[in-house]
Amino acid sequence: DEFISSPPRKTVRFGGTLPEILLKYERGETTDFELLKHQLSDPDIKDAQIINWLHEFRVSVTYLTKDFEQLVSILLKLPWLRRSREVVEEYLGFLGNLVSAQTVHLRPCLRMIVSQFVPPRITIREDDVDISDSDDDEENLSENFNTCHRALQTVARYVPSTPQFLMPILVENFPFINKSERTLECYVHNLLRVTVYLPTLRLQILELIVEKLLKLDVSTPQQDIEDAEEAANNSDSEEKSTEEGLFDMEEDEERKGNKVVSSRSERMAHPLAERLDILMTILFSYIKDVCHVDGKLDINKTKDLYRDLVSVFDKLILPTHASCHVQYFMFYICSFKLGLAEAFLDHLWKKLHDPNNPSVIRQTAGSYIGSFLARAKFIPVVTVKACLDLLVNWMHKYIDNQDTGANAYCDVALHGPFYSACQAAFYTLIFRHKQLLDGNLRKGLSYLQSLNFERIVMCQLNPLKICIPSVVNLFAAITRKYQLVFCYTIIERNNRQFIPVVRSGTGGDLVQTCTNPLDSFFPFDPYMLKRSKKTIDPFYQFWEELSAEDLENLKKPIKRGTSEDEDDDFLKGETPQNDGVAEIAPNSYESNARSPVSSIGSPPDCYVQYP
């Protein structure tokens, strides 16, 4: 039976050997050639037949010139990946021979390999609608991907110029963001695998991936994610209450149900946020795997990857306004070693104070400095102090230069980088003041007084008018408590100067007041993607809301004779409903003064009542 069912080792030949068939075709005799194409295109072709054909083609690759592109195309469409090991090995040998003898076929070979970087397409039609675009459940998917990478390495070994031909194909084949999560996941994972054996492509591949991630990120604002999660939670609670009313589930069913709920709770309700979450998880895993060898940090590999990531950051992240999550790859790699965090801060500082950079880039660099210093747990107080010294000294020099000039007035267009640096310093103080004062209150106060915030706040450039109100209000409360500077007189004056802007539209006149003239945002505001969040949270400083007691403490200035351990309890507890909090007046500030939107874990829009 086995003998009868197995195909013969030698298939029937019409017209002689393969070289003879090809030579006949060149002379115009196409019958045998057409029969050959038909046999190779047969969907029921057996493994032994494929092996025999490939063996003949391997020894005849010199005949497969550009004239036989169509035949090579048929060979590249052979279903070799899901065949026996013998077929796979023979096919890899054929690919090596083909590209080494006929480099004209290099691009089609690379396209064929890259096309296998995603799960195979299957079509499930309901009412003439395609409801699936990839076979997510194929058992041998991982093994097939391994084979694809072997094929790519084989081609690269025979043709050293492979990387320059491969990169455009990788860009061209990147799936659209509305493809299935599994398709995107597999493609990005395989792209990152390519960087391991073709290191010259790493920077370009990282740029490609980050560019696509940014498109996802800016398409899913935090407010949309919050709204989707809230809607999903409401529908889940409704379903749960309905089920509890109708069914009395058995214990084993409850366990099963709980498991399903927990896996569902890992998913993001917003479909694009779900895709972004999966891809960010892969990127974080890649960064960790590249930088660690046998569980230990390899400093040289980490430095090399850091340089590539900073280059990607400069090219793509820094010019992108209000991205929410993608920039966290820099936050993550900096958590590996303090030297990297300091290098990143130094890099941002150079961007900020270099007058040759565009103003918008300088302002964004200031936002990154403030947000990074405030949110990164792994940055020690000594580094925070060093950065504050740099920022504040530069601000004082800036004020010195402007006080005597014709531009010594409040104008975002003229002094954007200065206001961005002010906001970075204020924001850092809000989050870090307890650590700055910890241990030795007198010494800490002396340091804060040496920064001379009073001169910055009182200068004619008036930074309190430009910075985001939530930052200004908390900065004012803290500096008043420690008698560093009294901001409320200036805040009141600024409030009176705010002129509402009337905009006419189809729906009538709209009165608006600009509360963020700097158009600034905090790039390391709370991370909201559930899976990848687990990687960031251990290194992240969350905002702890204020209790009524904390607010009362903020209204009581520290006396000069206070003992060292009588520090304030700022950043503890929860925000009260009303006690001690004066809501921002609608005619002064909009309710969305937080940045970039109303964010959980960011400073609230409230301030201590004027004394």
Side-chain angles (χ1 to χ4, degrees):
D1 289 344
E2 186 181 342
F3 173 77
I4 293 169
S5 63
S6 62
R9 290 299 297 171
K10 291 289 179 183
T11 52
V12 179
R13 292 283 180 269
F14 298 94
T17 62
L18 181 63
E20 289 172 352
I21 294 172
L22 299 179
L23 289 171
K24 277 184 182 180
Y25 175 76
E26 287 180 338
R27 291 197 300 266
E29 299 174 27
T30 61
T31 308
D32 292 344
F33 184 75
E34 291 300 324
L35 188 60
L36 170 64
K37 289 199 301 183
H38 178 73
Q39 288 188 31
L40 289 171
S41 305
D42 183 3
D44 299 321
I45 191 169
K46 303 290 189 295
D47 283 10
Q49 290 174 304
I50 294 177
I51 291 170
N52 286 333
W53 280 120
L54 288 174
H55 185 70
E56 288 200 40
F57 275 106
R58 280 184 72 177
V59 296
S60 309
V61 287
T62 50
Y63 295 94
L64 296 177
T65 58
K66 190 173 173 60
D67 297 332
F68 293 101
E69 274 183 320
Q70 191 181 15
L71 180 60
V72 171
S73 175
I74 292 170
L75 286 167
L76 294 178
K77 288 176 184 173
L78 279 173
W80 63 284
L81 259 183
R82 294 157 193 87
R83 297 283 181 154
S84 65
R85 181 177 293 276
E86 291 78 13
V87 172
V88 169
E89 296 302 324
E90 192 67 34
Y91 198 87
L92 290 175
F94 161 71
L95 277 180
N97 287 15
L98 178 65
V99 295
S100 58
Q102 305 286 351
T103 50
V104 69
H105 301 304
L106 176 62
R107 278 195 183 93
C109 288
L110 293 176
R111 281 196 187 93
M112 180 274 296
I113 296 169
V114 173
S115 70
Q116 305 290 341
F117 277 3
V118 294
R121 290 182 65 86
I122 57 169
T123 305
I124 303 170
R125 299 187 83 82
E126 275 186 16
D127 301 327
D128 295 327
V129 177
D130 186 356
I131 60 169
S132 177
D133 70 345
S134 64
D135 184 2
D136 295 345
D137 301 320
E138 184 171 339
E139 293 178 5
N140 300 321
L141 204 55
S142 179
E143 190 179 331
N144 290 343
F145 290 153
N146 290 340
T147 308
C148 285
H149 288 290
R150 276 187 63 201
L152 201 51
Q153 286 171 276
T154 301
V155 171
R157 190 163 60 247
Y158 285 109
V159 186
S161 61
T162 293
Q164 71 187 72
F165 291 98
L166 176 63
M167 196 60 219
I169 293 168
L170 295 178
V171 174
E172 182 185 306
N173 279 267
F174 203 104
F176 294 113
I177 58 174
N178 61 348
K179 290 291 182 185
S180 74
E181 296 138 15
R182 183 69 172 145
T183 299
L184 286 163
E185 178 184 10
C186 291
Y187 195 79
V188 169
H189 186 269
N190 284 315
L191 283 187
L192 291 171
R193 281 187 67 177
V194 171
T195 66
V196 175
Y197 54 84
L198 294 178
T200 55
L201 286 182
R202 183 166 75 180
L203 178 58
Q204 294 175 70
I205 286 176
L206 286 171
E207 282 181 1
L208 171 62
I209 291 170
V210 170
E211 182 188 354
K212 301 297 181 181
L213 290 178
L214 272 175
K215 285 181 180 175
L216 277 171
D217 201 6
V218 297
S219 302
T220 52
Q222 282 195 341
Q223 191 62 56
D224 289 1
I225 296 174
E226 287 175 5
D227 291 345
E229 289 298 318
E230 188 177 348
N233 290 337
N234 290 340
S235 64
D236 284 350
S237 60
E238 284 173 16
E239 285 175 21
K240 191 176 178 184
S241 62
T242 306
E243 285 175 4
E244 285 173 356
L246 293 174
F247 304 108
D248 183 17
M249 300 175 100
E250 293 181 8
E251 191 176 344
D252 58 338
E253 288 177 338
E254 280 180 10
R255 282 190 194 138
K256 188 192 269 186
N258 287 340
K259 191 172 181 182
V260 172
V261 169
S262 66
S263 64
R264 263 181 75 184
S265 68
E266 286 284 302
R267 291 183 63 84
M268 299 297 296
H270 195 295
L272 293 183
E274 171 67 9
R275 288 166 173 75
L276 183 60
D277 193 9
I278 290 168
L279 299 184
M280 287 300 293
T281 304
I282 293 171
L283 183 58
F284 288 153
S285 299
Y286 171 78
I287 291 170
K288 183 179 180 183
D289 289 348
V290 168
C291 295
H292 292 80
V293 178
D294 299 326
K296 292 182 180 178
L297 188 71
D298 185 312
I299 194 62
N300 291 322
K301 288 184 176 181
T302 305
K303 282 180 180 176
D304 290 342
L305 181 60
Y306 169 83
R307 290 188 194 102
D308 284 346
L309 291 178
V310 164
S311 176
V312 174
F313 176 84
D314 284 350
K315 184 176 179 179
L316 298 172
I317 302 289
L318 208 53
T320 304
H321 180 67
S323 59
C324 300
H325 301 98
V326 182
Q327 59 265 23
Y328 270 90
F329 67 75
M330 287 307 306
F331 190 96
Y332 183 53
I333 194 170
C334 288
S335 70
F336 293 164
K337 195 168 181 63
L338 178 59
L340 296 175
E342 291 176 340
F344 183 50
L345 285 165
D346 183 58
H347 179 75
L348 291 169
W349 164 245
K350 286 173 181 171
K351 293 275 182 193
L352 172 63
H353 87 284
D354 183 358
N356 295 317
N357 286 326
S359 181
V360 65
I361 295 295
R362 297 175 68 191
Q363 288 172 218
T364 308
S367 297
Y368 271 92
I369 290 172
S371 198
F372 192 60
L373 287 173
R375 297 294 194 172
K377 272 186 183 177
F378 47 84
I379 296 181
V381 177
V382 64
T383 305
V384 174
K385 282 184 173 182
C387 290
L388 277 176
D389 287 339
L390 274 175
L391 284 169
V392 171
N393 288 336
W394 179 77
M395 288 188 284
H396 283 302
K397 285 179 185 174
Y398 191 93
I399 294 167
D400 289 340
N401 293 336
Q402 295 299 325
D403 271 353
T404 54
N407 295 327
Y409 56 91
C410 184
D411 190 334
V412 176
L414 288 173
H415 311 296
F418 169 77
Y419 294 125
S420 183
C422 290
Q423 185 158 275
F426 298 166
Y427 193 69
T428 302
L429 185 70
I430 290 168
F431 273 85
R432 294 285 195 159
H433 76 283
K434 286 188 73 174
Q435 290 169 278
L436 291 168
L437 298 170
D438 193 32
N440 189 328
L441 185 60
R442 185 171 293 144
K443 192 175 177 183
L445 282 172
S446 176
Y447 168 73
L448 291 179
Q449 285 162 0
S450 72
L451 296 176
N452 197 2
F453 278 116
E454 185 172 10
R455 180 170 184 252
I456 295 167
V457 166
M458 301 290 182
C459 75
Q460 293 180 29
L461 302 180
N462 194 0
L464 296 186
K465 185 175 182 179
I466 301 300
C467 295
I468 291 174
S470 55
V471 173
V472 169
N473 295 323
L474 284 166
F475 173 76
I478 293 165
T479 51
R480 175 181 177 272
K481 176 176 175 60
Y482 296 107
Q483 298 185 10
L484 299 172
V485 57
F486 190 81
C487 302
Y488 291 111
T489 307
I490 298 170
I491 292 173
E492 283 183 321
R493 186 183 68 209
N494 290 339
N495 289 350
R496 288 193 294 272
Q497 290 174 355
F498 266 117
I499 301 172
V501 178
V502 180
R503 294 183 180 173
S504 297
T506 53
D509 291 344
L510 180 66
V511 180
Q512 290 184 328
T513 307
C514 181
T515 59
N516 188 4
L518 201 56
D519 199 22
S520 58
F521 71 108
F522 299 112
F524 297 116
D525 258 1
Y527 194 91
M528 300 184 70
L529 307 175
K530 293 178 185 175
R531 291 183 190 84
S532 44
K533 189 176 191 285
K534 294 173 185 173
T535 305
I536 297 300
D537 278 359
F539 313 109
Y540 190 77
Q541 177 61 58
F542 288 93
W543 171 260
E544 298 174 26
E545 294 188 348
L546 307 178
S547 67
E549 185 182 352
D550 297 327
L551 289 161
E552 284 299 319
N553 286 337
L554 280 178
K555 289 192 281 184
K556 297 173 187 172
I558 290 281
K559 293 178 182 176
R560 294 291 178 190
T562 305
S563 62
E564 291 178 9
D565 57 348
E566 285 183 12
D567 200 356
D568 68 299
D569 292 323
F570 189 68
L571 296 180
K572 285 185 181 176
E574 297 178 354
T575 303
Q577 297 301 314
N578 289 311
D579 294 349
V581 181
E583 295 297 335
I584 292 176
N587 63 340
S588 300
Y589 301 111
E590 291 174 340
S591 59
N592 64 343
R594 283 181 243 173
S595 173
V597 292
S598 176
S599 303
I600 299 166
S602 289
D605 289 319
C606 64
Y607 57 83
V608 183
Q609 290 171 318
Y610 299 142

Short mmCIF file of all heavy atoms in Angstrom, two decimals, residues 433-454:
data_model
loop_
_atom_site.label_atom_id
_atom_site.label_comp_id
_atom_site.label_asym_id
_atom_site.label_seq_id
_atom_site.Cartn_x
_atom_site.Cartn_y
_atom_site.Cartn_z
N HIS A 433 9.70 67.88 45.54
CA HIS A 433 10.07 68.77 46.65
C HIS A 433 10.25 68.01 47.96
O HIS A 433 11.10 68.35 48.78
CB HIS A 433 9.03 69.89 46.82
CG HIS A 433 7.75 69.47 47.46
ND1 HIS A 433 6.77 68.77 46.80
CD2 HIS A 433 7.29 69.63 48.73
CE1 HIS A 433 5.78 68.53 47.62
NE2 HIS A 433 6.06 69.04 48.79
N LYS A 434 9.47 66.94 48.17
CA LYS A 434 9.63 66.18 49.41
C LYS A 434 11.00 65.54 49.49
O LYS A 434 11.65 65.55 50.55
CB LYS A 434 8.54 65.11 49.50
CG LYS A 434 7.15 65.67 49.83
CD LYS A 434 6.17 64.57 50.11
CE LYS A 434 6.45 63.93 51.46
NZ LYS A 434 5.42 62.93 51.84
N GLN A 435 11.47 64.98 48.35
CA GLN A 435 12.79 64.36 48.34
C GLN A 435 13.90 65.40 48.47
O GLN A 435 14.92 65.13 49.10
CB GLN A 435 12.96 63.57 47.04
CG GLN A 435 12.09 62.32 46.97
CD GLN A 435 12.10 61.72 45.57
OE1 GLN A 435 11.37 62.17 44.69
NE2 GLN A 435 12.92 60.71 45.37
N LEU A 436 13.67 66.55 47.88
CA LEU A 436 14.67 67.62 47.99
C LEU A 436 14.82 68.11 49.43
O LEU A 436 15.89 68.57 49.84
CB LEU A 436 14.29 68.80 47.08
CG LEU A 436 14.40 68.55 45.57
CD1 LEU A 436 13.72 69.67 44.80
CD2 LEU A 436 15.86 68.42 45.15
N LEU A 437 13.73 68.03 50.20
CA LEU A 437 13.75 68.51 51.59
C LEU A 437 13.95 67.37 52.59
O LEU A 437 14.04 67.61 53.79
CB LEU A 437 12.43 69.23 51.90
CG LEU A 437 12.14 70.48 51.06
CD1 LEU A 437 10.72 70.95 51.28
CD2 LEU A 437 13.13 71.59 51.39
N ASP A 438 13.99 66.15 52.11
CA ASP A 438 14.05 64.99 53.00
C ASP A 438 15.40 64.93 53.72
O ASP A 438 16.45 65.22 53.14
CB ASP A 438 13.83 63.70 52.19
CG ASP A 438 13.57 62.51 53.09
OD1 ASP A 438 12.98 62.70 54.16
OD2 ASP A 438 13.96 61.39 52.72
N GLY A 439 15.36 64.52 54.98
CA GLY A 439 16.60 64.33 55.75
C GLY A 439 17.02 65.58 56.50
O GLY A 439 17.06 65.60 57.72
N ASN A 440 17.30 66.63 55.77
CA ASN A 440 17.74 67.86 56.41
C ASN A 440 16.93 69.02 55.84
O ASN A 440 17.24 69.56 54.77
CB ASN A 440 19.25 68.07 56.14
CG ASN A 440 19.82 69.21 56.96
OD1 ASN A 440 19.13 70.19 57.25
ND2 ASN A 440 21.10 69.09 57.34
N LEU A 441 15.86 69.37 56.55
CA LEU A 441 14.93 70.39 56.06
C LEU A 441 15.63 71.73 55.85
O LEU A 441 15.41 72.40 54.84
CB LEU A 441 13.76 70.53 57.02
CG LEU A 441 12.63 71.48 56.60
CD1 LEU A 441 12.01 71.04 55.29
CD2 LEU A 441 11.58 71.56 57.68
N ARG A 442 16.47 72.11 56.81
CA ARG A 442 17.14 73.42 56.72
C ARG A 442 18.05 73.48 55.49
O ARG A 442 18.04 74.45 54.74
CB ARG A 442 17.93 73.68 58.00
CG ARG A 442 18.55 75.08 58.03
CD ARG A 442 19.12 75.37 59.41
NE ARG A 442 18.03 75.47 60.40
CZ ARG A 442 18.13 75.03 61.65
NH1 ARG A 442 19.25 74.46 62.07
NH2 ARG A 442 17.13 75.17 62.49
N LYS A 443 18.78 72.40 55.29
CA LYS A 443 19.69 72.35 54.14
C LYS A 443 18.89 72.35 52.83
O LYS A 443 19.26 73.01 51.85
CB LYS A 443 20.55 71.07 54.23
CG LYS A 443 21.72 71.05 53.26
CD LYS A 443 22.57 69.81 53.52
CE LYS A 443 23.72 69.73 52.51
NZ LYS A 443 24.52 68.52 52.69
N GLY A 444 17.78 71.59 52.83
CA GLY A 444 16.93 71.53 51.64
C GLY A 444 16.32 72.87 51.31
O GLY A 444 16.31 73.30 50.14
N LEU A 445 15.83 73.57 52.35
CA LEU A 445 15.26 74.91 52.14
C LEU A 445 16.30 75.89 51.64
O LEU A 445 16.04 76.72 50.78
CB LEU A 445 14.64 75.42 53.44
CG LEU A 445 13.26 74.85 53.81
CD1 LEU A 445 12.85 75.30 55.20
CD2 LEU A 445 12.21 75.26 52.79
N SER A 446 17.50 75.75 52.18
CA SER A 446 18.59 76.63 51.75
C SER A 446 18.88 76.42 50.27
O SER A 446 19.11 77.39 49.53
CB SER A 446 19.84 76.34 52.58
OG SER A 446 20.92 77.11 52.12
N TYR A 447 18.85 75.14 49.83
CA TYR A 447 19.08 74.85 48.41
C TYR A 447 17.98 75.46 47.54
O TYR A 447 18.26 76.12 46.53
CB TYR A 447 19.14 73.33 48.17
CG TYR A 447 19.09 72.97 46.72
CD1 TYR A 447 20.18 73.20 45.88
CD2 TYR A 447 17.92 72.45 46.14
CE1 TYR A 447 20.13 72.92 44.53
CE2 TYR A 447 17.86 72.16 44.79
CZ TYR A 447 18.96 72.40 43.99
OH TYR A 447 18.91 72.12 42.65
N LEU A 448 16.71 75.26 47.94
CA LEU A 448 15.60 75.81 47.16
C LEU A 448 15.64 77.33 47.11
O LEU A 448 15.33 77.95 46.08
CB LEU A 448 14.25 75.33 47.73
CG LEU A 448 13.94 73.83 47.56
CD1 LEU A 448 12.60 73.49 48.20
CD2 LEU A 448 13.93 73.43 46.09
N GLN A 449 16.02 77.97 48.23
CA GLN A 449 16.13 79.43 48.24
C GLN A 449 17.25 79.90 47.31
O GLN A 449 17.14 80.95 46.67
CB GLN A 449 16.39 79.92 49.67
CG GLN A 449 15.14 79.86 50.55
CD GLN A 449 15.48 79.92 52.04
OE1 GLN A 449 16.65 80.01 52.42
NE2 GLN A 449 14.46 79.85 52.88
N SER A 450 18.30 79.07 47.20
CA SER A 450 19.43 79.46 46.34
C SER A 450 19.04 79.48 44.86
O SER A 450 19.70 80.13 44.04
CB SER A 450 20.61 78.50 46.54
OG SER A 450 20.32 77.24 45.95
N LEU A 451 17.95 78.76 44.51
CA LEU A 451 17.49 78.75 43.12
C LEU A 451 16.85 80.09 42.72
O LEU A 451 16.70 80.38 41.54
CB LEU A 451 16.49 77.60 42.89
CG LEU A 451 17.06 76.19 43.08
CD1 LEU A 451 15.96 75.15 42.93
CD2 LEU A 451 18.18 75.90 42.08
N ASN A 452 16.43 80.87 43.76
CA ASN A 452 15.88 82.21 43.54
C ASN A 452 14.69 82.19 42.57
O ASN A 452 14.67 82.89 41.54
CB ASN A 452 16.97 83.17 43.02
CG ASN A 452 16.56 84.63 43.17
OD1 ASN A 452 15.47 84.93 43.67
ND2 ASN A 452 17.41 85.53 42.71
N PHE A 453 13.70 81.34 42.89
CA PHE A 453 12.49 81.28 42.08
C PHE A 453 11.76 82.62 42.05
O PHE A 453 11.06 82.94 41.10
CB PHE A 453 11.54 80.19 42.59
CG PHE A 453 11.89 78.81 42.12
CD1 PHE A 453 12.27 77.82 43.02
CD2 PHE A 453 11.83 78.49 40.78
CE1 PHE A 453 12.58 76.54 42.59
CE2 PHE A 453 12.14 77.21 40.33
CZ PHE A 453 12.52 76.23 41.23
N GLU A 454 11.95 83.41 43.11
CA GLU A 454 11.24 84.69 43.21
C GLU A 454 11.57 85.59 42.02
O GLU A 454 10.68 86.21 41.42
CB GLU A 454 11.59 85.40 44.53
CG GLU A 454 10.78 86.66 44.74
CD GLU A 454 11.00 87.26 46.13
OE1 GLU A 454 11.91 86.80 46.84
OE2 GLU A 454 10.24 88.17 46.48
#
